[in-house]
Amino acid sequence: MGEDWPKITARRDIRVSPWMTVIERAVEFSEGAAPELYHAVGQQDYIAIVARTPEGLIPIVRQYRPAVERFTWELPAGLVDPGEHAAETCRRELMEETGLPAKTVHPLGAFAPCTARLSNRVHSFFVDAGPRADNAPVEAGIEVKLVTPEELSDLIRAGTFTLQLHIGALLLAGMHGFIDLTAFTRD
């Protein structure tokens, strides 16, 4: 294929909710070929936070997820508000979901969560968290748990911590030397 192909010959955005748009694209793969329709979900970028408390524990959160119709354990995370920098979202979401302040925020990268169906990016961060603020409220509907890397590994193996994007954030934190991945590789 030449540099001119494929071509997007038409695009239509269909607003579904404040959080989601369906993006329809007509793609022509070669000169004279009939365009093929492709659909993607358009949404705001989001963040995933691998945090470590002063005691060396990793905060995880449990909440009900209608998409999978059950409660899940995940890393603290959230949507990047329009005009907000992802690092600021990281600080805000960590405090809102866990009551833990971010002392230092280390970007781990921004990646496509699903190149086939999603048009946004997930920004992953490693955070050295400070002690939990006295009487810091936690977002309604969220349960917080502090776990060791070994306990988190057990939750992943048991299928209780299942969000692939967050497992990827853990890998990124290990690749950058912030956490020891050997806790996740034991039998």
Side-chain angles (χ1 to χ4, degrees):
M1 288 190 178
E3 289 182 28
D4 295 335
W5 306 99
K7 286 184 182 180
I8 297 174
T9 60
R11 176 189 165 126
R12 179 171 69 133
D13 291 358
I14 306 158
R15 187 92 170 143
V16 176
S17 76
W19 302 277
M20 188 182 101
T21 300
V22 173
I23 304 166
E24 179 181 83
R25 293 179 182 93
V27 181
E28 188 176 288
F29 284 93
S30 61
E31 188 172 1
E36 298 178 35
L37 288 182
Y38 288 85
H39 295 88
V41 174
Q43 57 188 9
Q44 295 162 245
D45 284 2
Y46 39 81
I47 56 106
I49 307 163
V50 179
R52 181 177 49 214
T53 67
E55 300 79 28
L57 300 173
I58 299 170
I60 59 174
V61 296
R62 182 176 184 262
Q63 57 190 314
Y64 185 77
R65 292 299 195 180
V68 293
E69 300 180 4
R70 65 185 178 92
F71 284 93
T72 62
W73 283 105
E74 305 172 1
L75 296 173
L79 294 175
V80 178
D81 287 340
E84 184 177 41
H85 292 284
E88 287 307 310
T89 303
C90 173
R91 290 178 180 282
R92 176 178 53 77
E93 289 289 346
L94 185 64
M95 180 60 80
E96 287 176 2
E97 293 192 2
T98 69
L100 295 167
K103 287 177 28 186
T104 56
V105 175
H106 305 275
L108 301 174
F111 299 91
C114 175
T115 57
R117 297 284 179 259
L118 300 175
S119 66
N120 67 328
R121 296 179 304 157
V122 59
H123 303 261
S124 296
F125 294 92
F126 177 80
V127 173
D128 285 306
R132 189 167 192 280
D134 291 336
N135 299 322
V138 173
E139 195 172 301
I142 292 182
E143 176 185 344
V144 180
K145 185 175 186 177
L146 302 176
V147 296
T148 65
E150 293 80 12
E151 291 169 327
L152 184 50
S153 176
D154 290 343
L155 290 171
I156 293 168
R157 290 172 191 274
T160 307
F161 185 104
T162 61
L163 185 52
Q164 182 69 36
L165 297 174
H166 291 187
I167 295 169
L170 291 165
L171 175 64
L172 288 169
M175 290 172 62
H176 285 268
F178 292 112
I179 62 172
D180 181 5
L181 290 177
T182 59
F184 297 92
T185 59
R186 61 182 168 75
D187 290 326

